[in-house]
Amino acid sequence: MFLLSYHLDATHLVVELGEVVDLDNEAAVEREIVRLLPCCGPRAIIVDIRTPLLTPRALGLLLRVRGQAEERGISMAVVAGYDTAREILSAAGLHRVLRVATTLPGAELRSRGCRPEPEASRNARPGGRRSAPPAAGDSPRPRGPYADTSRPRIPGKR
């Protein structure tokens, strides 16, 4: 089993996963990725998923690799360029756990613990306002999968 891997910079190692993970190759893929996890060196590994199909075996593999990376003090992020792959990760509830991003620069930020930019700031024009102020009835809190969940929730109050 051969996985393409390269250093993005001094702190990030990228491993490209270009084939569907199934019963026949699961153990070999996991061994190869774990072999690339150094005990010292890059502080983050980015798994670049180059296939739209993510099997349950692939999800298990990603979670096991994440656990082994965390034991060694290495953070992990995942690039899922295909909508199907991101939907599978989101449906499985692993979007945050695996720090999923759509692009390699996004995964680099996610591996550092940064949250993605809101949609309005990504589409803003230079020199213009980033977004309109919230209307009177709108909540100023972010919505969606990256909403801040660290705030206590009070029943009956939004």
Side-chain angles (χ1 to χ4, degrees):
M1 168 62 31
F2 175 74
L3 297 175
L4 180 63
S5 64
Y6 56 92
H7 286 274
L8 189 60
D9 55 26
T11 59
H12 293 87
L13 175 70
V14 179
V15 179
E16 292 184 358
L17 184 59
E19 56 188 66
V20 175
V21 176
D22 57 15
L23 180 62
D24 296 333
N25 65 0
E26 178 183 16
V29 170
E30 184 174 352
R31 264 193 317 271
E32 184 71 16
I33 294 175
V34 170
R35 183 186 67 78
L36 293 170
L37 291 176
C39 62
C40 52
R43 290 180 276 154
I45 184 169
I46 299 172
V47 178
D48 189 357
I49 300 172
R50 300 280 182 137
T51 178
L53 178 62
L54 281 178
T55 62
R57 293 197 176 272
L59 299 178
L61 173 129
L62 289 171
L63 287 171
R64 287 191 304 274
V65 168
R66 179 188 171 270
Q68 292 181 15
E70 295 277 327
E71 287 176 4
R72 297 174 186 191
I74 300 171
S75 68
M76 181 177 145
V78 172
V79 177
Y82 289 97
D83 290 336
T84 310
R86 284 192 306 275
E87 288 172 5
I88 291 168
L89 288 164
S90 182
L94 300 176
H95 215 281
R96 284 188 186 183
V97 173
L98 294 175
R99 297 180 180 138
V100 178
T102 57
T103 63
L104 199 54
E108 180 183 359
L109 289 173
R110 298 284 290 147
S111 70
R112 294 183 193 155
C114 299
R115 289 173 39 182
E117 292 182 358
E119 188 68 32
S121 67
R122 269 189 254 151
N123 298 330
R125 289 185 291 276
R129 290 177 61 172
R130 292 197 173 238
S131 65
D138 288 348
S139 172
R141 295 185 310 178
R143 297 186 184 272
Y146 298 109
D148 188 7
T149 58
S150 61
R151 295 186 203 146
R153 299 186 185 223
I154 302 169
K157 189 174 183 183
R158 291 194 176 238

